[in-house]
PDB file of all heavy atoms in Angstrom:
ATOM      1  N   ASP A  84      19.463 -18.193  15.527  1.00 92.00           N
ATOM      2  CA  ASP A  84      20.607 -18.154  16.421  1.00 92.00           C
ATOM      3  C   ASP A  84      21.494 -19.374  16.168  1.00 92.00           C
ATOM      4  O   ASP A  84      21.240 -20.175  15.270  1.00 92.00           O
ATOM      5  CB  ASP A  84      20.173 -18.034  17.888  1.00 92.00           C
ATOM      6  CG  ASP A  84      19.422 -19.259  18.403  1.00 92.00           C
ATOM      7  OD1 ASP A  84      19.389 -20.292  17.705  1.00 92.00           O
ATOM      8  OD2 ASP A  84      18.871 -19.180  19.506  1.00 92.00           O
ATOM      9  N   GLN A  85      22.536 -19.540  16.964  1.00 93.00           N
ATOM     10  CA  GLN A  85      23.504 -20.617  16.736  1.00 93.00           C
ATOM     11  C   GLN A  85      22.904 -21.995  16.926  1.00 93.00           C
ATOM     12  O   GLN A  85      23.405 -22.977  16.371  1.00 93.00           O
ATOM     13  CB  GLN A  85      24.697 -20.429  17.663  1.00 93.00           C
ATOM     14  CG  GLN A  85      25.525 -19.221  17.331  1.00 93.00           C
ATOM     15  CD  GLN A  85      26.668 -19.022  18.302  1.00 93.00           C
ATOM     16  OE1 GLN A  85      26.717 -19.610  19.367  1.00 93.00           O
ATOM     17  NE2 GLN A  85      27.619 -18.176  17.911  1.00 93.00           N
ATOM     18  N   GLN A  86      21.825 -22.103  17.693  1.00 94.00           N
ATOM     19  CA  GLN A  86      21.153 -23.376  17.901  1.00 94.00           C
ATOM     20  C   GLN A  86      20.073 -23.632  16.844  1.00 94.00           C
ATOM     21  O   GLN A  86      19.389 -24.654  16.909  1.00 94.00           O
ATOM     22  CB  GLN A  86      20.511 -23.439  19.301  1.00 94.00           C
ATOM     23  CG  GLN A  86      21.510 -23.549  20.438  1.00 94.00           C
ATOM     24  CD  GLN A  86      22.193 -22.225  20.734  1.00 94.00           C
ATOM     25  OE1 GLN A  86      21.631 -21.166  20.538  1.00 94.00           O
ATOM     26  NE2 GLN A  86      23.441 -22.304  21.180  1.00 94.00           N
ATOM     27  N   GLY A  87      19.921 -22.737  15.910  1.00 92.00           N
ATOM     28  CA  GLY A  87      18.918 -22.902  14.849  1.00 92.00           C
ATOM     29  C   GLY A  87      17.520 -22.430  15.224  1.00 92.00           C
ATOM     30  O   GLY A  87      16.583 -22.643  14.465  1.00 92.00           O
ATOM     31  N   VAL A  88      17.384 -21.760  16.356  1.00 95.00           N
ATOM     32  CA  VAL A  88      16.073 -21.245  16.797  1.00 95.00           C
ATOM     33  C   VAL A  88      15.798 -19.924  16.093  1.00 95.00           C
ATOM     34  O   VAL A  88      16.669 -19.061  16.014  1.00 95.00           O
ATOM     35  CB  VAL A  88      16.072 -21.044  18.329  1.00 95.00           C
ATOM     36  CG1 VAL A  88      14.728 -20.461  18.786  1.00 95.00           C
ATOM     37  CG2 VAL A  88      16.347 -22.365  19.039  1.00 95.00           C
ATOM     38  N   GLU A  89      14.577 -19.781  15.558  1.00 95.00           N
ATOM     39  CA  GLU A  89      14.212 -18.534  14.895  1.00 95.00           C
ATOM     40  C   GLU A  89      14.003 -17.423  15.924  1.00 95.00           C
ATOM     41  O   GLU A  89      13.318 -17.620  16.921  1.00 95.00           O
ATOM     42  CB  GLU A  89      12.941 -18.706  14.063  1.00 95.00           C
ATOM     43  CG  GLU A  89      13.168 -19.514  12.816  1.00 95.00           C
ATOM     44  CD  GLU A  89      11.940 -19.543  11.919  1.00 95.00           C
ATOM     45  OE1 GLU A  89      10.879 -19.066  12.320  1.00 95.00           O
ATOM     46  OE2 GLU A  89      12.074 -20.069  10.808  1.00 95.00           O
ATOM     47  N   ARG A  90      14.598 -16.288  15.682  1.00 94.00           N
ATOM     48  CA  ARG A  90      14.490 -15.111  16.547  1.00 94.00           C
ATOM     49  C   ARG A  90      13.995 -13.933  15.719  1.00 94.00           C
ATOM     50  O   ARG A  90      14.125 -13.917  14.508  1.00 94.00           O
ATOM     51  CB  ARG A  90      15.837 -14.756  17.159  1.00 94.00           C
ATOM     52  CG  ARG A  90      16.506 -15.849  17.921  1.00 94.00           C
ATOM     53  CD  ARG A  90      15.914 -15.988  19.265  1.00 94.00           C
ATOM     54  NE  ARG A  90      16.626 -17.027  19.998  1.00 94.00           N
ATOM     55  CZ  ARG A  90      16.403 -17.281  21.259  1.00 94.00           C
ATOM     56  NH1 ARG A  90      15.523 -16.579  21.933  1.00 94.00           N
ATOM     57  NH2 ARG A  90      17.048 -18.228  21.858  1.00 94.00           N
ATOM     58  N   TYR A  91      13.458 -12.932  16.421  1.00 95.00           N
ATOM     59  CA  TYR A  91      12.994 -11.725  15.778  1.00 95.00           C
ATOM     60  C   TYR A  91      13.641 -10.511  16.449  1.00 95.00           C
ATOM     61  O   TYR A  91      13.790 -10.472  17.661  1.00 95.00           O
ATOM     62  CB  TYR A  91      11.464 -11.600  15.875  1.00 95.00           C
ATOM     63  CG  TYR A  91      10.746 -12.636  15.076  1.00 95.00           C
ATOM     64  CD1 TYR A  91      10.446 -13.879  15.627  1.00 95.00           C
ATOM     65  CD2 TYR A  91      10.363 -12.388  13.765  1.00 95.00           C
ATOM     66  CE1 TYR A  91       9.786 -14.843  14.881  1.00 95.00           C
ATOM     67  CE2 TYR A  91       9.700 -13.336  13.021  1.00 95.00           C
ATOM     68  CZ  TYR A  91       9.419 -14.557  13.583  1.00 95.00           C
ATOM     69  OH  TYR A  91       8.766 -15.511  12.832  1.00 95.00           O
ATOM     70  N   THR A  92      14.005  -9.537  15.644  1.00 93.00           N
ATOM     71  CA  THR A  92      14.569  -8.290  16.149  1.00 93.00           C
ATOM     72  C   THR A  92      13.821  -7.125  15.525  1.00 93.00           C
ATOM     73  O   THR A  92      13.629  -7.089  14.312  1.00 93.00           O
ATOM     74  CB  THR A  92      16.074  -8.176  15.781  1.00 93.00           C
ATOM     75  OG1 THR A  92      16.762  -9.250  16.386  1.00 93.00           O
ATOM     76  CG2 THR A  92      16.659  -6.870  16.287  1.00 93.00           C
ATOM     77  N   THR A  93      13.372  -6.195  16.363  1.00 93.00           N
ATOM     78  CA  THR A  93      12.708  -4.986  15.880  1.00 93.00           C
ATOM     79  C   THR A  93      13.662  -3.825  16.076  1.00 93.00           C
ATOM     80  O   THR A  93      14.262  -3.671  17.140  1.00 93.00           O
ATOM     81  CB  THR A  93      11.404  -4.727  16.648  1.00 93.00           C
ATOM     82  OG1 THR A  93      10.546  -5.876  16.457  1.00 93.00           O
ATOM     83  CG2 THR A  93      10.697  -3.490  16.143  1.00 93.00           C
TER      84      THR A  93
END
Side-chain angles (χ1 to χ4, degrees):
D84 66 10
Q85 292 177 345
Q86 289 76 30
V88 177
E89 287 187 353
R90 304 282 182 173
Y91 292 88
T92 299
T93 301

